[in-house]
Structure formats: C-alpha cells, structure tokens
Amino acid sequence: MNGTTLDVLVPSSLVREAEDGREATRKLGYVARAATVFRADRLVVFPDREGERRRGGEYVRTVLEYCATPAYLRKEVWEKRDELRHAGVLPPMRPARSGPDGSELREGIVTEVGPEGRVRVNCGTQHPISLHASPGREYAEGERVTVRVSSREPVRARLTDDPAPGFRVAGADLEDALAAAETAIATSRHGRELSVSGLADVRTRTRDTHVAVAFGSPGRGLPAILGMDAEDVPVDPDATDGSGFDLWLNAIPRQGSEVVRTEEAIFAALSPLTLTE
C-alpha cells in the first residue's frame, strides 16, 4: 500500500468473549501483530459499550499501546499495571526499520536535555546517545522521538521528523474515525463477496489514499454494533447506506467456520487489500 495511509478500526468489545486476562492479552497481541505485518499506521479503538463485558476500551487500548512500544523501551515507559499482567504471552512485533540507504529508524526517549543544543536519547543502543537537536526544535525529558541510525559501530545517528516504524494507537468515535479517512471499508460476512475481479475495483479505490478498514468483535459484527439488520448491509459497491462506509466487504466468502475471530478477519482482509500491482 505504498502511498496509502492505513487505519485499522476495532471495537472496544474486542475481547468480550475472552475467558481470562491471558486469553484477552493473547488475542490483542495478534491484532497488534496483524497491524505490524500489514504496516498499519494507526490502530483505532472505537466504543461499543453495549458489547463490552469485563474488559472494555481502556483495557484494549492499554495492551495495544504496550504492543506498539518497542521492546527495548517498555521497562522505561510502562509501570506495572494490572492490564499488563500477562504481557509475557504477547508475540514479538519487530516492525521493519531498515531504510533504502541501509539506515535504521528507531523510536527513542529523551533522557536528558543538555547544553549547546544536544539531547541524550535512549533508542535501544547499548547506552543512551548524545545527539544534536533538530534546528528550531525544543525537547523535553521523556519525549518520544525518532532517530535515524546509519551505523552501530561506531554509532552514527541523528534525530529526524520521520515517523517511527510500527503503528500508533488512538481512541475515537467510529463516526470521527470514518470521517478522517477518504475511503472507509466495513468487513462483514453479509457484505459484498471479495472476488478476483472485484479486487481490482477495491484496489483502485484504496490506492494512494487514506483508508480505514473496520472490524467487529466476536459474536457482534459491525451491523449489530451499528444497529443494522443483516439484510440491510449493501452488497452494491456504489450503494450508500448512511453508515459512513464506502464499501461493505466479505473477505472470506467461503467461510468454513461459524465464527471468524477478529484477529483472523484482520489477516484475511488486509492480505488482499495490501497486494501490490
């Protein structure tokens, strides 16, 4: 999806059927893993309070934000929290950091603002490194920054305004999240079946634009969250239904299981949607 900004939208009821914190954490880990694999820019958690049970939006956002934090910064950024009790079951994210010139983008934290326009940054190297501040920029201790590392031995690095690798986590009403995108796609087994011929049309709509792809939760799909009847879900790609979505897609038209888990649906939907030409 070169040139495309990708938002993945998930409901606050995402872990509504998890039996315990371990299962809920593992599920969220695979959602975060999918966002990493398909280079999502944002994971947006929208409220579905009717569908929530023991663990709601704050829990979901906390675990996803932990996943989005580089492993080498987690001890510095996160204190002990009950939501992170089972963080050990999370899969590694390991977002791709290498640039075309062989350099590496790394997220860091400012540990000290020094004199003469220099700051010390912990970016996962053996020790915090001293860097020149970007012209016209002021930094504060604890601020998250991006560092471009061109050499490890000896260390050669500089601060950059480029976005750090990986995704960011946000909370927003569904209406606002859809309004921020130029193309909004809803995933549902009741939507238009994604086919080889239909994929070309979808790719045309999503190329080089800001795309939001939304998913439901276990036992509570997007139609239920929006208060829609299944038969009212449009299968015509040019239909408008007032939901805020441009397309309703069934990315698993030959679904063999009664229920597809959200983390499975994300992998299934984003795989064809992110194909290159």
Side-chain angles (χ1 to χ4, degrees), residues 78-98:
W78 293 93
E79 300 176 351
K80 287 187 177 180
R81 297 185 58 159
D82 186 61
E83 298 98 319
L84 302 175
R85 181 183 301 176
H86 302 287
V89 304
L90 291 169
M93 299 297 116
R94 300 181 65 183
R97 298 189 176 96
S98 298

PDB file of all heavy atoms in Angstrom, residues 78-98:
ATOM      1  N   TRP A  78       6.591   1.905  30.719  1.00  0.00           N
ATOM      2  CA  TRP A  78       5.439   1.331  31.404  1.00  0.00           C
ATOM      3  C   TRP A  78       5.756   0.917  32.833  1.00  0.00           C
ATOM      4  O   TRP A  78       6.727   0.229  33.086  1.00  0.00           O
ATOM      5  CB  TRP A  78       4.921   0.104  30.635  1.00  0.00           C
ATOM      6  CG  TRP A  78       4.347   0.463  29.302  1.00  0.00           C
ATOM      7  CD1 TRP A  78       4.986   0.474  28.103  1.00  0.00           C
ATOM      8  CD2 TRP A  78       3.008   0.885  29.042  1.00  0.00           C
ATOM      9  NE1 TRP A  78       4.147   0.873  27.116  1.00  0.00           N
ATOM     10  CE2 TRP A  78       2.913   1.130  27.654  1.00  0.00           C
ATOM     11  CE3 TRP A  78       1.884   1.072  29.839  1.00  0.00           C
ATOM     12  CZ2 TRP A  78       1.738   1.562  27.049  1.00  0.00           C
ATOM     13  CZ3 TRP A  78       0.709   1.494  29.228  1.00  0.00           C
ATOM     14  CH2 TRP A  78       0.645   1.726  27.855  1.00  0.00           C
ATOM     15  N   GLU A  79       4.904   1.362  33.729  1.00  0.00           N
ATOM     16  CA  GLU A  79       4.959   0.861  35.096  1.00  0.00           C
ATOM     17  C   GLU A  79       4.127  -0.419  35.163  1.00  0.00           C
ATOM     18  O   GLU A  79       3.433  -0.788  34.216  1.00  0.00           O
ATOM     19  CB  GLU A  79       4.393   1.909  36.055  1.00  0.00           C
ATOM     20  CG  GLU A  79       5.148   3.229  36.046  1.00  0.00           C
ATOM     21  CD  GLU A  79       4.491   4.256  36.936  1.00  0.00           C
ATOM     22  OE1 GLU A  79       3.364   3.993  37.412  1.00  0.00           O
ATOM     23  OE2 GLU A  79       5.092   5.321  37.151  1.00  0.00           O
ATOM     24  N   LYS A  80       4.181  -1.097  36.301  1.00  0.00           N
ATOM     25  CA  LYS A  80       3.365  -2.301  36.459  1.00  0.00           C
ATOM     26  C   LYS A  80       1.892  -1.911  36.482  1.00  0.00           C
ATOM     27  O   LYS A  80       1.478  -1.023  37.210  1.00  0.00           O
ATOM     28  CB  LYS A  80       3.734  -3.031  37.750  1.00  0.00           C
ATOM     29  CG  LYS A  80       5.079  -3.737  37.684  1.00  0.00           C
ATOM     30  CD  LYS A  80       5.303  -4.580  38.923  1.00  0.00           C
ATOM     31  CE  LYS A  80       6.612  -5.358  38.824  1.00  0.00           C
ATOM     32  NZ  LYS A  80       6.856  -6.200  40.027  1.00  0.00           N
ATOM     33  N   ARG A  81       1.120  -2.580  35.632  1.00  0.00           N
ATOM     34  CA  ARG A  81      -0.316  -2.329  35.549  1.00  0.00           C
ATOM     35  C   ARG A  81      -1.037  -3.661  35.462  1.00  0.00           C
ATOM     36  O   ARG A  81      -0.538  -4.613  34.864  1.00  0.00           O
ATOM     37  CB  ARG A  81      -0.657  -1.473  34.327  1.00  0.00           C
ATOM     38  CG  ARG A  81      -0.055  -0.086  34.358  1.00  0.00           C
ATOM     39  CD  ARG A  81      -0.511   0.765  33.202  1.00  0.00           C
ATOM     40  NE  ARG A  81      -1.961   0.903  33.153  1.00  0.00           N
ATOM     41  CZ  ARG A  81      -2.586   1.882  32.508  1.00  0.00           C
ATOM     42  NH1 ARG A  81      -1.887   2.811  31.864  1.00  0.00           N
ATOM     43  NH2 ARG A  81      -3.901   1.941  32.485  1.00  0.00           N
ATOM     44  N   ASP A  82      -2.222  -3.702  36.026  1.00  0.00           N
ATOM     45  CA  ASP A  82      -2.978  -4.949  36.044  1.00  0.00           C
ATOM     46  C   ASP A  82      -3.292  -5.418  34.630  1.00  0.00           C
ATOM     47  O   ASP A  82      -3.303  -6.622  34.353  1.00  0.00           O
ATOM     48  CB  ASP A  82      -4.277  -4.755  36.832  1.00  0.00           C
ATOM     49  CG  ASP A  82      -5.030  -6.062  37.013  1.00  0.00           C
ATOM     50  OD1 ASP A  82      -4.463  -6.988  37.634  1.00  0.00           O
ATOM     51  OD2 ASP A  82      -6.164  -6.174  36.505  1.00  0.00           O
ATOM     52  N   GLU A  83      -3.526  -4.473  33.707  1.00  0.00           N
ATOM     53  CA  GLU A  83      -3.849  -4.845  32.326  1.00  0.00           C
ATOM     54  C   GLU A  83      -2.692  -5.564  31.650  1.00  0.00           C
ATOM     55  O   GLU A  83      -2.899  -6.289  30.678  1.00  0.00           O
ATOM     56  CB  GLU A  83      -4.199  -3.608  31.498  1.00  0.00           C
ATOM     57  CG  GLU A  83      -5.414  -2.831  31.982  1.00  0.00           C
ATOM     58  CD  GLU A  83      -4.997  -1.642  32.818  1.00  0.00           C
ATOM     59  OE1 GLU A  83      -4.063  -1.785  33.645  1.00  0.00           O
ATOM     60  OE2 GLU A  83      -5.600  -0.558  32.650  1.00  0.00           O
ATOM     61  N   LEU A  84      -1.472  -5.358  32.157  1.00  0.00           N
ATOM     62  CA  LEU A  84      -0.285  -5.922  31.519  1.00  0.00           C
ATOM     63  C   LEU A  84       0.246  -7.133  32.271  1.00  0.00           C
ATOM     64  O   LEU A  84       1.381  -7.556  32.042  1.00  0.00           O
ATOM     65  CB  LEU A  84       0.802  -4.842  31.415  1.00  0.00           C
ATOM     66  CG  LEU A  84       0.399  -3.581  30.636  1.00  0.00           C
ATOM     67  CD1 LEU A  84       1.509  -2.545  30.700  1.00  0.00           C
ATOM     68  CD2 LEU A  84       0.049  -3.915  29.196  1.00  0.00           C
ATOM     69  N   ARG A  85      -0.551  -7.692  33.144  1.00  0.00           N
ATOM     70  CA  ARG A  85      -0.115  -8.828  33.961  1.00  0.00           C
ATOM     71  C   ARG A  85       0.338 -10.004  33.102  1.00  0.00           C
ATOM     72  O   ARG A  85       1.246 -10.740  33.466  1.00  0.00           O
ATOM     73  CB  ARG A  85      -1.254  -9.264  34.884  1.00  0.00           C
ATOM     74  CG  ARG A  85      -0.893 -10.424  35.794  1.00  0.00           C
ATOM     75  CD  ARG A  85      -2.094 -10.844  36.626  1.00  0.00           C
ATOM     76  NE  ARG A  85      -2.587  -9.738  37.441  1.00  0.00           N
ATOM     77  CZ  ARG A  85      -3.682  -9.815  38.205  1.00  0.00           C
ATOM     78  NH1 ARG A  85      -4.408 -10.930  38.198  1.00  0.00           N
ATOM     79  NH2 ARG A  85      -4.060  -8.787  38.930  1.00  0.00           N
ATOM     80  N   HIS A  86      -0.303 -10.191  31.951  1.00  0.00           N
ATOM     81  CA  HIS A  86       0.007 -11.346  31.098  1.00  0.00           C
ATOM     82  C   HIS A  86       0.775 -10.932  29.838  1.00  0.00           C
ATOM     83  O   HIS A  86       0.708 -11.615  28.810  1.00  0.00           O
ATOM     84  CB  HIS A  86      -1.288 -12.054  30.708  1.00  0.00           C
ATOM     85  CG  HIS A  86      -2.097 -12.514  31.878  1.00  0.00           C
ATOM     86  ND1 HIS A  86      -1.728 -13.588  32.654  1.00  0.00           N
ATOM     87  CD2 HIS A  86      -3.242 -12.015  32.419  1.00  0.00           C
ATOM     88  CE1 HIS A  86      -2.621 -13.765  33.625  1.00  0.00           C
ATOM     89  NE2 HIS A  86      -3.550 -12.822  33.499  1.00  0.00           N
ATOM     90  N   ALA A  87       1.529  -9.845  29.917  1.00  0.00           N
ATOM     91  CA  ALA A  87       2.249  -9.337  28.745  1.00  0.00           C
ATOM     92  C   ALA A  87       3.239 -10.352  28.185  1.00  0.00           C
ATOM     93  O   ALA A  87       3.612 -10.275  27.007  1.00  0.00           O
ATOM     94  CB  ALA A  87       2.972  -8.036  29.091  1.00  0.00           C
ATOM     95  N   GLY A  88       3.647 -11.318  29.000  1.00  0.00           N
ATOM     96  CA  GLY A  88       4.601 -12.318  28.537  1.00  0.00           C
ATOM     97  C   GLY A  88       4.083 -13.205  27.419  1.00  0.00           C
ATOM     98  O   GLY A  88       4.882 -13.847  26.722  1.00  0.00           O
ATOM     99  N   VAL A  89       2.766 -13.256  27.210  1.00  0.00           N
ATOM    100  CA  VAL A  89       2.219 -14.106  26.139  1.00  0.00           C
ATOM    101  C   VAL A  89       2.133 -13.357  24.809  1.00  0.00           C
ATOM    102  O   VAL A  89       1.765 -13.950  23.796  1.00  0.00           O
ATOM    103  CB  VAL A  89       0.819 -14.653  26.511  1.00  0.00           C
ATOM    104  CG1 VAL A  89       0.858 -15.398  27.833  1.00  0.00           C
ATOM    105  CG2 VAL A  89      -0.238 -13.538  26.549  1.00  0.00           C
ATOM    106  N   LEU A  90       2.468 -12.065  24.799  1.00  0.00           N
ATOM    107  CA  LEU A  90       2.369 -11.286  23.562  1.00  0.00           C
ATOM    108  C   LEU A  90       3.414 -11.741  22.548  1.00  0.00           C
ATOM    109  O   LEU A  90       4.565 -11.970  22.909  1.00  0.00           O
ATOM    110  CB  LEU A  90       2.563  -9.798  23.859  1.00  0.00           C
ATOM    111  CG  LEU A  90       1.453  -9.114  24.651  1.00  0.00           C
ATOM    112  CD1 LEU A  90       1.899  -7.726  25.100  1.00  0.00           C
ATOM    113  CD2 LEU A  90       0.182  -9.023  23.816  1.00  0.00           C
ATOM    114  N   PRO A  91       3.050 -11.828  21.275  1.00  0.00           N
ATOM    115  CA  PRO A  91       4.047 -12.160  20.249  1.00  0.00           C
ATOM    116  C   PRO A  91       4.938 -10.957  20.005  1.00  0.00           C
ATOM    117  O   PRO A  91       4.535  -9.820  20.242  1.00  0.00           O
ATOM    118  CB  PRO A  91       3.186 -12.482  19.018  1.00  0.00           C
ATOM    119  CG  PRO A  91       1.962 -11.653  19.206  1.00  0.00           C
ATOM    120  CD  PRO A  91       1.703 -11.624  20.698  1.00  0.00           C
ATOM    121  N   PRO A  92       6.146 -11.144  19.503  1.00  0.00           N
ATOM    122  CA  PRO A  92       7.006 -10.007  19.177  1.00  0.00           C
ATOM    123  C   PRO A  92       6.444  -9.242  17.984  1.00  0.00           C
ATOM    124  O   PRO A  92       5.875  -9.836  17.072  1.00  0.00           O
ATOM    125  CB  PRO A  92       8.352 -10.659  18.856  1.00  0.00           C
ATOM    126  CG  PRO A  92       7.998 -12.047  18.416  1.00  0.00           C
ATOM    127  CD  PRO A  92       6.800 -12.442  19.214  1.00  0.00           C
ATOM    128  N   MET A  93       6.589  -7.921  18.000  1.00  0.00           N
ATOM    129  CA  MET A  93       6.121  -7.093  16.887  1.00  0.00           C
ATOM    130  C   MET A  93       7.213  -6.960  15.821  1.00  0.00           C
ATOM    131  O   MET A  93       6.989  -7.199  14.655  1.00  0.00           O
ATOM    132  CB  MET A  93       5.707  -5.704  17.384  1.00  0.00           C
ATOM    133  CG  MET A  93       4.573  -5.713  18.401  1.00  0.00           C
ATOM    134  SD  MET A  93       3.015  -6.379  17.754  1.00  0.00           S
ATOM    135  CE  MET A  93       2.838  -7.841  18.793  1.00  0.00           C
ATOM    136  N   ARG A  94       8.386  -6.512  16.206  1.00  0.00           N
ATOM    137  CA  ARG A  94       9.556  -6.370  15.332  1.00  0.00           C
ATOM    138  C   ARG A  94       9.214  -5.671  14.012  1.00  0.00           C
ATOM    139  O   ARG A  94       9.370  -6.246  12.927  1.00  0.00           O
ATOM    140  CB  ARG A  94      10.184  -7.738  15.059  1.00  0.00           C
ATOM    141  CG  ARG A  94      10.655  -8.457  16.315  1.00  0.00           C
ATOM    142  CD  ARG A  94      11.285  -9.782  16.000  1.00  0.00           C
ATOM    143  NE  ARG A  94      12.507  -9.606  15.236  1.00  0.00           N
ATOM    144  CZ  ARG A  94      13.260 -10.613  14.765  1.00  0.00           C
ATOM    145  NH1 ARG A  94      12.875 -11.873  15.004  1.00  0.00           N
ATOM    146  NH2 ARG A  94      14.351 -10.380  14.081  1.00  0.00           N
ATOM    147  N   PRO A  95       8.736  -4.412  14.057  1.00  0.00           N
ATOM    148  CA  PRO A  95       8.434  -3.700  12.812  1.00  0.00           C
ATOM    149  C   PRO A  95       9.687  -3.474  11.986  1.00  0.00           C
ATOM    150  O   PRO A  95      10.786  -3.302  12.527  1.00  0.00           O
ATOM    151  CB  PRO A  95       7.854  -2.366  13.310  1.00  0.00           C
ATOM    152  CG  PRO A  95       8.430  -2.193  14.679  1.00  0.00           C
ATOM    153  CD  PRO A  95       8.529  -3.571  15.248  1.00  0.00           C
ATOM    154  N   ALA A  96       9.532  -3.504  10.671  1.00  0.00           N
ATOM    155  CA  ALA A  96      10.668  -3.297   9.760  1.00  0.00           C
ATOM    156  C   ALA A  96      11.189  -1.879   9.928  1.00  0.00           C
ATOM    157  O   ALA A  96      10.431  -0.915   9.856  1.00  0.00           O
ATOM    158  CB  ALA A  96      10.236  -3.538   8.321  1.00  0.00           C
ATOM    159  N   ARG A  97      12.495  -1.758  10.156  1.00  0.00           N
ATOM    160  CA  ARG A  97      13.081  -0.452  10.435  1.00  0.00           C
ATOM    161  C   ARG A  97      14.075   0.013   9.376  1.00  0.00           C
ATOM    162  O   ARG A  97      14.492   1.156   9.379  1.00  0.00           O
ATOM    163  CB  ARG A  97      13.814  -0.481  11.789  1.00  0.00           C
ATOM    164  CG  ARG A  97      12.927  -0.779  12.990  1.00  0.00           C
ATOM    165  CD  ARG A  97      13.710  -0.570  14.277  1.00  0.00           C
ATOM    166  NE  ARG A  97      12.887  -0.761  15.449  1.00  0.00           N
ATOM    167  CZ  ARG A  97      12.816  -1.887  16.132  1.00  0.00           C
ATOM    168  NH1 ARG A  97      13.539  -2.926  15.744  1.00  0.00           N
ATOM    169  NH2 ARG A  97      12.042  -1.992  17.190  1.00  0.00           N
ATOM    170  N   SER A  98      14.517  -0.876   8.510  1.00  0.00           N
ATOM    171  CA  SER A  98      15.585  -0.536   7.577  1.00  0.00           C
ATOM    172  C   SER A  98      15.083   0.360   6.458  1.00  0.00           C
ATOM    173  O   SER A  98      14.001   0.145   5.898  1.00  0.00           O
ATOM    174  CB  SER A  98      16.196  -1.804   6.974  1.00  0.00           C
ATOM    175  OG  SER A  98      16.777  -2.591   7.991  1.00  0.00           O
TER     176      SER A  98
END
